[in-house]
Amino acid sequence: MPLPLTQFVVKMHSRCDLACDHCYVYEHADSSWRTRPKVIADGILAKAAERIGEHAAAHRLPAVRVVLHGGEPLLAGPDRLRRAARTLRAALPPGCALDLRIHTNGVLLSRDFCALFAEQDVKVGISLDGDRAANDRHRRFADGRSSHPQVLRAVALLNEPEYRHLFAGLLCTMDVGNDPAAVYRALAELRPPAVDFLLPHATWDEPPRRPAALGATPYADWLLTVHRLWEADGRPFAVRTFESVHRTLRGFSSLTESLGLEPSDLAVLETDGTFEQADSLKTAYDGAPVTGMNVFAHSLDDLARHPGIAARQSGLAGLSEACRACSVVRSCGGGLYAHRYRSDDGGGSFDHPSVYCGDLMTFINGLAGSGRSADPAAAVPAQGAAAPVPGAGPLLPGALGPSHIDELARGYGGADTVAALGRSQLALTRAMLAAAWDASGQGRAEAWALLAELDTAAPAAVDAVLAHPYARAWAARRLAGDLAVGLGPLAALAAAAAVRAGRGDAVAVPVRGGRLHLPTLGTIAVPDGEAVVTGRSDGFEVRASDGSVRTGVDEPLRRVRPADGWTVALEDGDPLRDCHDHPVADRLSESELLDWTGALREAWELLGRDLPGYAEGIRAGLTTVTPLRPGPVGRDVSSAARQAYGAVGIARPATAPTLALLLAHEFQHVKLGAVLDLTDLYDRADTELYFAPWRPDPRPLEGLFQGTYAHLAVTEYWGTRTLAYDGLPGEAADRARAQFALWRRYTAEAVERLASTGALTGTGLRFADGMRATVTPWLALPLPAAAEQAADRARRDRAGV
């Protein structure tokens, strides 16, 4: 079964107000635009929205991306664009977010359009090829007039504070006749959040322009010049072309269809209701994108099975023999599919290297030797990530809507918001498993194939296993270069899914150390070797390497219910739970289990009373508590692992109030880590160290961000306890007031320190504003002088003064 489609280009208008001579729609081989309606009809839009919604529901997609396109989509007018946005959003099933974008030449963009896009949460991308000289080379009106002033006006509108959050970025089509430094500087001056540098569309029949004076690989040389400037400036904006190569060189997924081996998940809807393949195919030959399908007669599953789309989902196997043998194939991916076309090979086919083959090899090797590539921890897929099995969705910024972002920015996060984070994290787990399996040489193919099959036949079983926090710990270690972990954990995931499905499927799992662990189920004692796990409707059996048979687990995963509707696993058996930064505890004894159960129940009561704004999110997203070994006497120990969404590690403290505080504090880290997997809150290239008010040592920017965000909950915890003790004497009341005085100051100072770094993105500044709005009212709460004095002493003690 092909992968689901998750990205859709909807043609709103089939004509354009510019006459760009490099346009693949009007100036290349395909001429279908001439016979299509100028504007898409409301009935076609409604049916398209219905098709996307049913496809998203059938494949449990956490998000879909829709790009309103043309021609020039603004020619469709604001009313039709508003109806399109509303219709598309209304058709999606619960739990599926819409990442809605529009791509325009900018000529018609006005304040009214921007207000509409703000109302409907539509991100705006602008086509711009550089400075005026570079842009006028191709992007002119039909009468020869320059479009550059109008485009600059459009970008200036998007850079206004009111609309900056709508600015998706710039799209620049390269021309080697343009000075790359001048183009880069002109674009950088506009402060875009992202720039896509695109190779001009070409085929072996119509090759790209290569002036002899510029050498054999002018496009690579042009890009490498821009890359050097971009690196020297500290990567001031995102560039998918550069970042995709950096990522694929480290074994991660690409961010663009034109590079890497990730399968295409894109479909195009034309104004007449016909489905087509990627628009870029229009450059190959007349009719190349045609599928023969339309929105009324065919589902998106039908479209996904079209041979042309399937060919772009086949990864390495779908490339030419020369590409498969190439040393840079995992980064190059054969280049854009359309650029492989050649007609003189006995009928015409795409079974060739890209017409830009030499440029791509030079460019990729140039970046590989540049001495800098993305940090593995920061290179986790943030959008467009490949999915490992059918049913997996992409990881898109649209997985969080504006209301989710605002809620999280304040430090909170209700059930819907945290559920959205959970869906995006499940998609990330799938993507990382796929990347790790592929990078590992695709070993344990039988286990992988079973996991893929079960995801279609028994999706709930697979979701339950992959949603376990430590399901992707194996993938994270493999992608970080730890080969010692082996492929056994992947087989164990498939085995656990087979047990949950209960269909009679069998999978071989390697056993080391006499213990076979099935994630979400527990551990079985069996001899080392290869054990075969068979899931049955009435349970499961394990046939060990010595021929003996076991049924059931010896050490089951224990779950406790601190409150109605909230069940938490006490994970003390998974061998991959050691991803926390503190040693994990051994298997809990029965008395320790009872102690934990009682402590969690008491802690939950306190969370509901003292942190009601945080408790709902904790109930929705905290699925696992991993017991840690105790720290030094007098020191509470807790941890949140970035690659274990839904889990916190805690050494059980002496009191339930402390446990409640640790749960809230660590789940703040869990939430913010999930947000950072979806979108950048700060410039990843920032290497400065920053002092947090509560620490003597400087931290990287993410450390300051994480600490500030976590201490919002700490501040509120002590604030609500202070209010509960209002007017009451006693040691507990005095301590609460002193702690509140201390942490509200610390957190407020940290928010301002973050905001003043100059390294926050637009969304990062939005978070800073939200955190400031949360902590500011606490600063106005009057406290006794003794509490402020105690806070002053604590500050001096921490600073070593």
Side-chain angles (χ1 to χ4, degrees):
M1 179 179 176
L3 293 175
L5 303 172
T6 63
Q7 301 190 67
F8 306 93
V9 172
V10 176
K11 298 299 188 72
M12 298 300 299
H13 202 286
S14 66
R15 304 298 189 268
C16 188
D17 46 1
L18 292 184
C20 307
D21 61 18
H22 56 14
C23 179
Y24 56 78
V25 176
Y26 307 109
E27 302 296 333
H28 284 215
D30 189 88
S31 60
S32 58
W33 64 273
R34 298 179 186 276
T35 60
R36 290 201 167 102
K38 289 184 178 179
V39 184
I40 192 169
D42 288 347
I44 293 174
L45 267 176
K47 190 63 179 179
E50 179 186 332
R51 292 295 194 193
I52 294 171
E54 68 185 17
H55 193 68
H59 295 282
R60 309 184 320 281
L61 301 179
V64 296
R65 172 176 288 182
V66 178
V67 180
L68 306 179
H69 212 282
E72 171 48 51
L74 296 185
L75 290 172
D79 291 342
R80 193 172 301 272
L81 292 174
R82 179 180 285 105
R83 289 198 298 275
R86 290 175 173 172
T87 302
L88 288 162
R89 189 167 282 112
L92 292 180
C96 182
L98 176 63
D99 178 13
L100 186 57
R101 300 177 176 234
I102 191 166
H103 191 86
T104 171
N105 59 36
V107 169
L108 295 177
L109 190 68
S110 64
R111 197 169 296 278
D112 288 343
F113 272 122
C114 287
L116 164 64
F117 298 148
E119 168 197 318
Q120 297 298 324
D121 191 26
V122 182
K123 302 298 188 293
V124 185
I126 300 281
S127 295
L128 179 64
D129 289 349
D131 57 9
R132 179 160 185 160
N135 201 66
D136 285 355
R137 190 183 289 268
H138 301 288
R139 296 188 182 277
R140 291 178 174 269
F141 288 95
D143 61 5
R145 286 179 297 124
S146 170
S147 65
H148 192 253
Q150 290 93 325
V151 181
L152 291 189
R153 176 184 51 78
V155 173
L157 260 178
L158 291 174
N159 269 324
E160 291 185 8
E162 185 178 2
Y163 303 125
R164 173 69 184 184
H165 68 286
L166 302 175
F167 195 3
L170 301 173
L171 186 148
C172 172
T173 301
M174 294 185 301
D175 187 317
V176 293
N178 292 329
D179 179 0
V183 168
Y184 170 80
R185 293 297 179 205
L187 298 180
E189 286 173 3
L190 299 177
R191 300 186 299 110
V195 176
D196 275 355
F197 292 103
L198 302 183
L199 291 166
H201 287 311
T203 67
W204 289 101
D205 291 358
E206 298 288 338
R209 189 168 69 92
R210 296 185 183 278
L214 297 180
T217 56
Y219 295 91
D221 299 339
W222 198 98
L223 279 171
L224 289 171
T225 297
V226 172
H227 182 264
R228 284 192 292 272
L229 295 168
W230 180 69
E231 288 280 19
D233 285 353
R235 300 184 178 186
F237 44 78
V239 179
R240 284 197 306 172
T241 304
F242 300 159
E243 291 166 356
S244 291
V245 175
H246 283 307
R247 290 164 59 88
T248 54
L249 288 171
R250 301 296 293 266
F252 292 91
S253 60
S254 172
L255 302 176
T256 173
E257 183 188 11
S258 61
L259 292 167
L261 294 171
E262 280 63 53
S264 172
D265 57 2
L266 173 72
V268 177
L269 178 73
E270 292 287 352
T271 56
D272 60 358
T274 56
F275 285 130
E276 290 202 340
Q277 301 176 64
D279 259 6
S280 56
L281 288 172
K282 294 179 186 293
T283 200
Y285 58 88
D286 198 8
V290 170
T291 65
M293 299 184 183
N294 67 77
V295 72
F296 294 102
H298 302 91
S299 71
L300 289 172
D301 277 348
D302 294 332
L303 183 62
R305 286 188 284 267
H306 185 276
I309 289 180
R312 289 161 47 238
Q313 292 189 338
S314 53
L316 190 64
L319 301 183
S320 67
E321 183 178 354
C323 287
R324 292 196 300 272
C326 180
S327 61
V328 300
V329 65
R330 294 197 176 275
S331 289
C332 171
L336 193 67
Y337 190 73
H339 297 173
R340 308 173 200 168
Y341 182 73
R342 191 168 196 147
S343 64
D344 61 355
D345 62 351
S349 77
F350 297 89
D351 189 27
H352 303 281
S354 168
V355 72
Y356 289 102
C357 178
D359 290 281
L360 290 171
M361 177 171 283
T362 299
F363 171 58
I364 292 166
N365 284 331
L367 263 61
S370 67
R372 180 179 182 188
S373 59
D375 178 81
V380 168
Q383 57 179 306
V389 287
L395 207 63
L396 300 176
L400 291 180
S403 62
H404 296 142
I405 290 288
D406 288 338
E407 192 175 8
L408 289 164
R410 293 288 301 269
Y412 304 117
D416 290 343
T417 298
V418 174
L421 286 178
R423 289 189 296 270
S424 72
Q425 287 291 297
L426 182 58
L428 175 57
T429 295
R430 293 170 179 271
M432 291 179 65
L433 287 171
W437 178 67
D438 188 60
S440 299
Q442 302 186 352
R444 292 281 163 186
E446 297 84 357
W448 184 260
L450 176 60
L451 197 61
E453 181 185 346
L454 290 175
D455 197 54
T456 299
V462 176
D463 281 353
V465 173
L466 297 191
H468 186 57
Y470 302 113
R472 76 170 182 239
W474 167 79
R477 288 173 62 174
R478 293 289 295 194
L479 292 172
D482 181 4
L483 302 183
V485 71
L487 298 178
L490 178 64
L493 290 172
V499 171
R500 288 180 169 276
R503 304 189 316 162
D505 299 292
V507 58
V509 184
V511 178
R512 302 290 182 269
R515 295 167 63 82
L516 169 62
H517 183 78
L518 298 179
T520 74
L521 299 172
T523 303
I524 308 116
V526 292
D528 285 1
E530 193 116 297
V532 177
V533 180
T534 303
R536 302 187 310 234
S537 59
D538 60 347
F540 69 96
E541 70 172 30
V542 178
R543 186 171 296 277
S545 58
D546 63 356
S548 61
V549 176
R550 315 282 202 279
T551 58
V553 292
D554 302 314
E555 296 180 349
L557 174 63
R558 275 93 65 99
R559 292 180 171 86
V560 299
R561 181 173 290 183
D564 288 342
W566 186 38
T567 299
V568 176
L570 279 169
E571 180 58 88
D572 57 0
D574 194 321
L576 293 173
R577 72 190 189 281
D578 62 356
C579 54
H580 294 277
D581 59 5
H582 192 83
V584 297
D586 296 329
R587 176 80 171 175
L588 297 176
S589 66
E590 290 302 319
S591 63
E592 289 172 327
L593 176 62
L594 289 174
D595 289 341
W596 265 107
T597 301
L600 283 168
R601 286 174 179 160
E602 288 184 57
W604 174 253
E605 292 179 10
L606 293 168
L607 285 169
R609 186 194 73 187
D610 294 335
L611 288 173
Y614 295 85
E616 183 184 352
I618 292 172
R619 183 203 292 262
L622 181 58
T623 63
T624 303
V625 174
T626 295
L628 303 179
R629 293 182 188 173
V633 176
R635 179 190 165 203
D636 294 312
V637 172
S638 62
S639 169
R642 181 67 174 274
Q643 302 300 343
Y645 177 81
V648 298
I650 295 176
R652 187 173 63 83
T655 68
T658 302
L659 178 57
L661 179 57
L662 294 177
L663 288 169
H665 176 274
E666 294 303 337
F667 196 66
Q668 289 294 95
H669 289 306
V670 170
K671 287 189 299 185
L672 190 64
V675 172
L676 287 167
D677 286 336
L678 284 169
T679 187
D680 285 337
L681 299 181
Y682 60 89
D683 179 3
R684 298 275 186 172
D686 185 273
T687 59
E688 294 294 320
L689 297 179
Y690 300 89
F691 281 96
W694 52 84
R695 292 179 65 110
D697 56 322
R699 312 285 312 284
L701 185 52
E702 181 171 345
L704 177 59
F705 216 131
Q706 286 276 8
T708 307
Y709 195 72
H711 286 119
L712 288 176
V714 174
T715 300
E716 188 154 332
Y717 174 84
W718 290 115
T720 54
R721 291 184 75 79
T722 294
L723 291 174
Y725 286 123
D726 187 27
L728 297 177
E731 183 179 344
D734 290 342
R735 180 171 185 268
R737 294 171 188 131
Q739 288 293 308
F740 177 48
L742 177 68
W743 287 108
R744 69 178 182 178
R745 281 196 229 168
Y746 274 162
T747 308
E749 289 174 17
V751 170
E752 299 311 318
R753 194 163 297 175
L754 264 178
S756 65
T757 61
L760 300 190
T761 64
T763 307
L765 289 170
R766 196 167 169 181
F767 264 69
D769 290 341
M771 291 189 287
R772 183 185 295 112
T774 294
V775 76
T776 297
W778 291 117
L779 296 173
L781 192 68
L783 287 175
E788 298 288 8
Q789 291 164 4
D792 287 337
R793 288 194 297 273
R795 287 170 66 94
R796 289 195 296 270
D797 290 344
R798 286 176 181 269
V801 178

